[in-house]
């Protein structure tokens, strides 16, 4: 196989962030505690595969304890009973503390996850803080309705917190996924048991500590670290959890939905995988489209649920686009994510690293043209070379499955109507990108696509107020914005007779 080299040097000695790991226990009822079994599990540094810290390993008994604490805090504690303004103040205090500790949080995130520190600091952390400011702002603006009835009745529709929320998050954006779930749940007055991903348990525990400092009452936010098939499954199937929110793979999404259905039929929101099309029309600004197609796919080591992983390019500009996309990928800086100027760090773990390399092999075997990359980067840790395939066909595995790695697939199209059909011919429907300077084409394509988000001449624009979620097997429900509040509210209709029908 032809070898290509990327511009950054391999890391020899990884930089150690100036940070102590202080929080490795489970947070249950306001106390950092060992797991019931006393077991721990290692969380690894993806740059080397070495252990960063041993973390308490929660299992079913710890989930039971955390759910009991959350139940008590909901049924008897101050959180759902205090004024919404007081809740809002505590959330704002937390957001301000997170802002103050933004460097430590970003360092911890990079260390545990492998993402470039600069990106964690300048992209993920500001969004994280903004999310809590945003939902703190909602806390005292959640109100019900009065509705007209056909008879002499006064009808109030009350919006109440739903109760104990179970939340299971993945490892690709540990802080953001926490914020998307914890923010709206707290704003509505719920209590929470959060299960972090086993690859990245550290930032959730640090966040829990900051919430304590901000004055969140005990038991309102409980954090249980541990594995999916044990702690995660126990949370999804718990009889005393009133609502479940999950982000992760489509396969695990099906499992948790079934666990929820078989236990107490708790409502479930799912934010799952994607195979998002990125469509570049022949009238697009090619250089801009190349840069954003590169960003759409390679950002976060390609580990984004909404990665633009099927780059459809009009045949008239196809060759130029491929040449430029290849040059951009070859120029991508890969290396120690703590170093300045590094665009790409390692994949999260050995399992993902091997999975990405398997998909690359499948691309080569299926006769897509390997333009660059195609192998591991360096000899240590889980780094993968930025990889570009051209001449990719819709039926190839690399055009169908979510690779979740730095592998760009460039496909050719001729006709707008047909590319909409091809873009929609997937089990997923999370996001899409459209590049054109023609407003009619932009409208036609964006309305034709079956996707929860369509970015036109931009990509990965995230905002606390913009709802996000998927069509088809990319999920159920929406997170962020006002839409997320509905996930955490019960609706109660209260009807009473009107004594004076004259005022009906
Ligand atoms: P996963 O979906 O298995 O893990 C996500 C979360 O679910 C983790 O907290 C995990 O502990 C938990 N979990 C796993 N099994 C569970 C179970 N039986 N019951 C309850 N919770 C459970 O994803 P994984 O294995 O880390 O990655 C596999 C693939 O999933 C990736 O290659 C990628 O394609 C996709 N993925 C998508 C994400 C997204 O943002 N939509 C995030 C992470 C992974
Ligand atoms: Mg880790």
């Amino acid at each position: 196989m032809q070898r290509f080299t990327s511009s950054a040097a391999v890391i020899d000695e990884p930089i150690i962030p100036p940070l102590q790991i202080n929080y490795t226990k489970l947070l249950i009822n306001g106390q950092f505690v060992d797991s019931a079994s006393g077991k721990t599990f290692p969380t690894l540094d993806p740059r080397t595969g070495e252990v960063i810290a041993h973390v308490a390993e929660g299992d079913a008994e710890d989930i039971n304890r955390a759910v009991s604490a959350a139940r008590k805090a909901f049924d008897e504690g101050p959180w759902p009973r205090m004024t919404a303004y007081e809740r809002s103040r505590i959330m704002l205090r937390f957001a301000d503390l997170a802002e103050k500790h933004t460097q430590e949080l970003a360092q911890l995130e990079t260390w545990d996850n492998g993402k470039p520190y600069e990106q964690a600091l300048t992209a993920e952390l500001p969004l994280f803080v903004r999310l809590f400011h945003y939902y703190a702002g909602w806390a005292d603006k959640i109100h019900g309705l009065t509705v007209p009835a056909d008879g002499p009745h006064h009808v109030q529709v009350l919006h109440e917190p739903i109760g104990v929320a179970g939340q299971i998050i993945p490892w690709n954006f540990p802080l953001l996924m926490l914020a998307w779930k914890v923010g709206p749940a707290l704003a509505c007055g719920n209590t929470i048991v959060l299960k972090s991903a086993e690859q990245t348990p550290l930032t959730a525990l640090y966040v829990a500590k900051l919430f304590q400092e901000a004055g969140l009452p005990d038991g309102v936010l409980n954090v249980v670290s541990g594995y999916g098939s044990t702690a995660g499954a126990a949370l999804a199937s718990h009889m005393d959890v009133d609502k479940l929110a999950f982000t992760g793979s489509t396969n695990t999404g099906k499992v948790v939905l079934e666990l929820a259905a078989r236990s107490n039929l708790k409502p479930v929101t799912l934010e799952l995988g994607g195979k998002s099309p990125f469509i570049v029309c022949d009238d697009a600004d090619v250089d801009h489209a190349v840069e954003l197609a590169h960003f759409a796919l390679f950002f976060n080591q390609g580990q984004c649920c909404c990665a633009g992983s099927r780059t459809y390019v009009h045949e008239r500009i196809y060759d130029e686009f491929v040449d430029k996309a290849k040059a951009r990928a070859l120029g991508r800086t890969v290396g120690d994510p703590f170093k300045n100027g590094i665009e790409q760090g390692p994949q999260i773990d050995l399992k993902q690293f091997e999975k990405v390399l398997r998909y690359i092999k499948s691309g080569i075997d299926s006769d897509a043209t390997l333009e660059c990359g195609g192998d591991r980067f360096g000899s240590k840790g889980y780094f993968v070379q930025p990889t570009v395939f051209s001449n990719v066909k819709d039926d190839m595995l690399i055009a169908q499955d979510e690779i979740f790695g730095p592998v760009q697939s460039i496909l050719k199209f001729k006709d707008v109507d047909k590319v909409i059909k091809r873009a929609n011919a997937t089990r997923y429907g999370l996001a899409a990108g459209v590049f054109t300077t023609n407003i009619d084409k932009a409208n036609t394509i964006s309305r034709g696509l079956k996707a929860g988000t369509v970015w036109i001449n931009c990509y990965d624009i995230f905002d606390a107020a913009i709802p996000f979620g998927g069509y088809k097997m990319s999920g159920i429900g929406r997170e962020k914005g006002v839409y997320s509040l509905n996930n955490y509210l019960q609706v109660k209709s209260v009807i009473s007779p009107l004594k004076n029908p004259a005022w009906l």
Side-chain angles (χ1 to χ4, degrees):
M1 186 209 303
Q2 196 184 340
R3 297 273 159 172
F4 306 91
T5 47
S6 210
S7 47
V10 181
I11 52 160
D12 290 325
E13 287 310 317
I15 298 167
I16 302 295
L19 194 70
Q20 290 230 324
I21 309 291
N22 290 327
Y23 310 108
T24 57
K25 298 190 176 188
L26 314 176
L27 183 82
I28 298 178
N29 205 23
Q31 305 290 321
F32 280 101
V33 295
D34 290 323
S35 59
S37 67
K39 282 206 276 188
T40 63
F41 67 101
T43 186
L44 307 180
D45 180 341
R47 297 174 299 171
T48 57
E50 284 163 14
V51 177
I52 302 174
H54 292 274
V55 176
E57 183 185 330
D59 202 332
E61 178 51 24
D62 306 285
I63 292 290
N64 282 339
R65 291 177 185 181
V67 172
S68 299
R71 170 59 55 202
K72 193 154 183 280
F74 187 76
D75 287 349
E76 298 164 29
W79 186 247
R81 283 160 200 86
M82 66 176 65
T83 66
Y85 180 47
E86 282 176 281
R87 274 205 299 276
S88 160
R89 297 278 302 262
I90 290 173
M91 292 180 70
L92 284 173
R93 270 206 295 280
F94 165 77
D96 291 344
L97 278 172
E99 196 161 26
K100 190 172 142 204
H101 292 274
T102 187
Q103 285 189 3
E104 292 98 308
L105 282 166
Q107 283 172 356
L108 214 46
E109 192 84 322
T110 291
W111 203 359
D112 217 5
N113 166 285
K115 65 179 62 197
Y117 175 68
E118 279 177 347
Q119 292 171 15
L121 191 68
T122 59
E124 190 162 355
L125 261 299
L127 274 173
F128 176 81
V129 171
R130 179 68 179 101
L131 224 294
F132 281 100
H133 279 141
Y134 176 84
Y135 280 108
W138 265 116
D140 58 0
K141 292 163 199 73
I142 295 166
H143 47 74
L145 299 166
T146 56
V147 294
D150 284 347
H153 290 102
H154 173 54
V155 182
Q156 315 163 49
V157 180
L158 305 181
H159 291 180
E160 299 179 345
I162 200 163
V164 175
Q167 306 185 327
I168 300 176
I169 56 172
W171 43 262
N172 55 342
F173 291 95
L175 282 169
L176 279 187
M177 295 302 100
L178 179 150
W180 290 15
K181 292 181 170 46
V182 170
L186 289 184
C188 296
N190 298 278
T191 61
I192 298 168
V193 177
L194 177 94
K195 211 281 298 163
S196 53
E198 57 269 34
Q199 296 87 347
T200 52
L202 297 177
T203 43
L205 297 171
Y206 195 103
V207 161
K209 174 68 192 162
L210 293 183
F211 262 117
Q212 279 190 322
E213 248 179 270
L216 191 71
D218 290 350
V220 174
L221 173 63
N222 304 275
V223 178
V224 178
S225 322
Y227 292 99
S229 58
T230 52
L235 185 58
S237 53
H238 205 288
M239 290 300 288
D240 210 19
V241 169
D242 299 306
K243 192 260 166 327
L244 187 73
F246 170 85
T247 298
S249 63
T250 294
N251 281 344
T252 305
K254 288 182 179 177
V255 171
V256 300
L257 187 61
E258 191 173 340
L259 291 173
R262 285 185 188 281
S263 52
N264 60 344
L265 219 53
K266 56 182 80 61
V268 179
T269 40
L270 300 173
E271 204 261 274
L272 308 175
K275 192 71 190 174
S276 299
F278 185 108
I279 300 171
V280 186
C281 299
D282 56 353
D283 55 35
D285 175 339
V286 175
D287 290 334
H288 186 217
V290 165
E291 183 57 34
L292 281 185
H294 178 85
F295 170 64
L297 186 282
F298 290 97
F299 178 59
N300 211 42
Q301 294 65 247
Q303 301 168 147
C304 295
C305 48
C306 55
S309 52
R310 289 182 292 151
T311 313
Y312 285 99
V313 180
H314 192 274
E315 62 176 13
R316 210 173 59 75
I317 54 169
Y318 188 82
D319 292 343
E320 177 192 357
F321 188 98
V322 169
D323 286 347
K324 289 180 168 170
K326 171 182 173 178
R328 181 64 185 89
L330 282 170
R332 187 167 184 78
T333 50
V334 185
D336 190 322
F338 278 106
K339 281 194 181 147
N340 287 337
I342 288 297
E343 294 178 293
Q344 184 177 314
Q347 307 309 118
I348 186 72
D349 63 10
L350 184 65
K351 184 179 129 196
Q352 290 295 315
F353 170 80
E354 288 178 339
K355 175 181 152 182
V356 173
L357 292 179
R358 270 199 309 278
Y359 275 116
I360 291 175
K361 183 165 183 313
S362 135
I364 294 167
D365 291 348
S366 60
D367 280 341
T369 307
L370 180 66
E371 296 285 345
C372 64
D375 209 342
R376 76 178 299 165
F377 180 92
S379 55
K380 188 158 53 169
Y382 311 128
F383 295 85
V384 175
Q385 294 175 353
T387 297
V388 176
F389 282 108
S390 62
N391 297 314
V392 177
K393 302 281 181 296
D394 291 343
D395 60 356
M396 292 178 183
L397 207 55
I398 56 168
Q400 298 201 336
D401 283 9
E402 181 174 52
I403 301 175
F404 233 57
V407 183
Q408 185 175 30
S409 296
I410 312 182
L411 304 94
K412 196 183 279 185
F413 79 92
K414 188 174 176 183
D415 183 273
V416 165
D417 289 342
K418 284 200 184 117
V419 82
I420 295 173
K421 285 208 178 79
R422 289 169 65 194
N424 284 336
T426 163
R427 55 192 179 277
Y428 296 117
L430 195 57
V434 181
F435 274 72
T436 175
T437 48
N438 180 321
I439 184 77
D440 298 324
K441 263 191 212 170
N443 284 335
T444 302
I445 298 173
S446 57
R447 281 165 191 256
L449 290 170
K450 303 266 181 276
T453 299
V454 181
W455 286 292
I456 299 173
N457 296 327
C458 61
Y459 208 84
D460 274 352
I461 300 299
F462 282 96
D463 190 298
I466 302 177
F468 187 80
Y471 284 38
K472 298 192 269 183
M473 284 166 77
S474 288
I476 299 176
R478 295 292 178 270
E479 293 190 309
K480 297 198 294 146
V482 64
Y483 291 84
S484 215
L485 299 173
N486 295 334
N487 299 332
Y488 294 99
L489 291 169
Q490 274 292 12
V491 176
K492 179 187 281 176
S493 300
V494 179
I495 303 116
S496 57
L498 275 178
K499 287 281 187 258
N500 186 350
W503 293 104
L504 196 61

